[in-house]
């Protein structure tokens, strides 16, 4: 009895594919991931995706963000460090749609960081750079919401860095962005507050900026730092050092058992130092009695005089006794 030949599991083994769109989704996705995350394009956003999406309508349908989040999740794994994420988050937070959304969010923030680092570095006038960073008195274009989001992303990527995160942060010029943040925002606010005799107000983004300044500063940078830069940094950090009692040391007060605090919670206001007391116009005169001469040890001290007693009240006369009657 003749044995029939096994049939092919898929039709493309019988008929070779004529184009990329004829390949199975799994094979085509691996080719696309390798193309996008090649060594030449390891740093920077995956801009090669646009060329693939414009190839044909079939490829666009396969690789679109809504239709294939697994493709963008693999790109996220190839471009960023995921070891710390796997330790901190549950598997339900690391699905393909979650990683695809995080990839999109990170590149929006990183491109914005690169944009503002270039804007601060390329501007020729001081006023122009201050306007970019929203210096008080100028219509800044860097909103506090975007600044806070970018600072949080840079801070978390540095704390979770295993090598690949720093490659993307270096592409975004995070060091120049942090120096611009320090100079045009934190330093300006600190100096203006000191000139007016007040303490600088520390926001969440400025606290993250100080941490980023510490995390991106190397030992050689401190050793070779010019004297002018050293003096500027010392002046900026002076109120935070000598008035540390006025700033909270933790994210939330100790009486809160759950963090983050609820939306209804309002942090306590930063106490301001008391107004300086003006110096006296003339030297105050002393009203204290000068001390008398010392009394010798063997001399006899004057005995205290007895306190006069009040005069005793006159005794009331005794009542008269009745006369005893006589019967005899």
């Amino acid at each position: 009895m003749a044995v029939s030949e096994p049939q092919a599991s898929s039709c493309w083994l019988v008929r070779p594919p004529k184009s990329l769109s004829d390949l199975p989704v799994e094979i085509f996705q691996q080719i696309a991931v390798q193309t996008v995350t090649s060594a030449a394009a390891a740093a920077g956003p995956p801009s090669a995706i646009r060329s693939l999406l414009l190839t044909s309508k079939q490829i666009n349908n396969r690789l679109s963000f809504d239709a294939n989040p697994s493709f963008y999740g693999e790109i996220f794994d190839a471009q960023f460090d995921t070891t710390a994420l796997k330790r901190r988050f549950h598997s339900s937070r690391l699905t393909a749609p979650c990683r695809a959304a995080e990839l999109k969010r990170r590149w929006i923030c990183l491109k914005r960081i690169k944009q503002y680092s270039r804007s601060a570095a390329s501007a020729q006038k001081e006023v122009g750079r201050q306007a970019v960073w929203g210096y008080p008195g100028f219509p800044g274009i860097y909103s506090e919401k975007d600044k806070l989001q970018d600072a949080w992303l840079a801070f978390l990527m540095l704390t979770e860095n295993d090598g690949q995160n720093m490659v993307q942060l270096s592409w975004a010029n995070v060091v120049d962005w942090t120096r611009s943040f320090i100079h045009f925002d934190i330093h300006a606010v600190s100096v203006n507050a000191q000139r007016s005799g007040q303490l600088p107000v520390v926001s969440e983004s400025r606290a993250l900026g100080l941490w980023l300044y510490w995390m991106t500063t190397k030992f050689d940078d401190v050793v070779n730092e010019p004297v002018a830069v050293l003096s500027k940094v010392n002046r900026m950090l002076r109120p935070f050092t000598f008035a540390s009692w006025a700033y909270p040391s933790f994210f939330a007060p100790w009486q809160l058992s759950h963090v983050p605090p609820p939306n209804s919670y309002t942090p306590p206001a930063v106490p301001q130092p008391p107004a300086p007391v003006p110096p006296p116009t003339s030297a105050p005169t002393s009203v204290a009695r000068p001390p008398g001469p010392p009394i010798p040890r063997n001399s006899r001290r004057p005995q205290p005089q007895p306190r006069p007693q009040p005069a005793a009240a006159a005794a009331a006369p005794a009542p008269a006794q009745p006369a005893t009657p006589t019967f005899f």
Side-chain angles (χ1 to χ4, degrees), residues 33-285:
V33 170
Q34 295 297 328
T35 303
V36 172
T37 61
S38 60
S47 56
I49 296 178
R50 183 178 182 182
S51 301
L52 288 175
L53 296 178
L54 295 176
T55 303
S56 64
K57 185 177 181 179
Q58 292 78 8
I59 293 179
N60 194 323
N61 294 334
R62 287 187 174 187
L63 298 181
S64 63
F65 188 83
D66 297 331
N68 194 353
S70 177
F71 169 62
Y72 296 89
E74 292 187 15
I75 296 177
F76 176 83
D77 297 340
Q79 288 194 319
F80 299 97
D81 295 314
T82 59
T83 305
L85 298 178
K86 295 177 181 178
R87 291 195 308 263
R88 298 179 181 179
F89 295 100
H90 191 263
S91 58
S92 60
R93 301 287 301 275
L94 299 175
T95 58
C98 293
R99 288 180 287 129
E102 181 65 14
L103 174 72
K104 184 177 181 180
R105 187 186 72 87
R106 287 196 179 189
W107 279 120
I108 290 176
C109 295
L110 289 174
K111 288 193 292 185
R112 188 165 52 220
I113 289 175
K114 190 178 185 68
Q115 173 189 355
Y116 285 111
S117 64
R118 285 180 174 178
S119 300
S122 61
Q124 299 297 328
K125 296 182 180 181
E126 190 78 5
V127 174
R129 289 184 291 192
Q130 291 173 349
V132 167
W133 278 85
Y135 189 80
F138 295 91
I141 61 175
Y142 204 171
S143 64
E144 183 64 23
K145 179 181 178 181
D146 294 341
K147 193 187 305 181
L148 178 62
Q149 188 176 11
D150 298 345
W152 266 118
L153 176 65
F155 176 78
L156 292 177
M157 287 184 63
L158 284 175
T159 56
E160 300 170 353
N161 176 49
D162 289 327
Q164 195 64 27
N165 282 356
M166 195 61 199
V167 173
Q168 311 301 344
L169 289 173
S170 300
W171 174 88
N173 298 330
V174 69
V175 177
D176 296 339
W177 180 82
T178 304
R179 299 302 183 271
S180 301
F181 196 173
I182 291 293
H183 179 70
F184 298 113
D185 190 299
I186 303 177
H187 178 268
V189 171
S190 178
V191 172
N192 292 338
Q194 294 180 56
R195 290 174 179 174
S196 60
Q198 303 294 328
L199 292 176
V201 179
V202 177
S203 60
E204 189 175 349
S205 61
R206 290 168 188 154
L208 290 170
L210 291 175
W211 273 104
L212 290 172
Y213 184 65
W214 178 81
M215 298 172 73
T216 57
T217 302
K218 300 180 180 179
F219 178 78
D220 296 338
D221 299 337
V222 178
V223 173
N224 302 323
E225 199 169 40
V227 179
V229 177
L230 179 62
S231 176
K232 180 185 297 184
V233 173
N234 289 337
R235 185 178 183 184
M236 176 189 65
L237 298 177
R238 188 178 302 153
F240 307 110
T241 304
F242 295 102
S244 58
W245 50 266
Y247 300 98
S249 302
F250 303 96
F251 176 73
W254 60 269
Q255 63 266 24
L256 294 180
S257 57
H258 300 283
V259 292
N263 297 331
S264 59
Y265 172 76
T266 55
V270 177
Q272 297 295 334
V277 180
T281 56
S282 60
T285 57

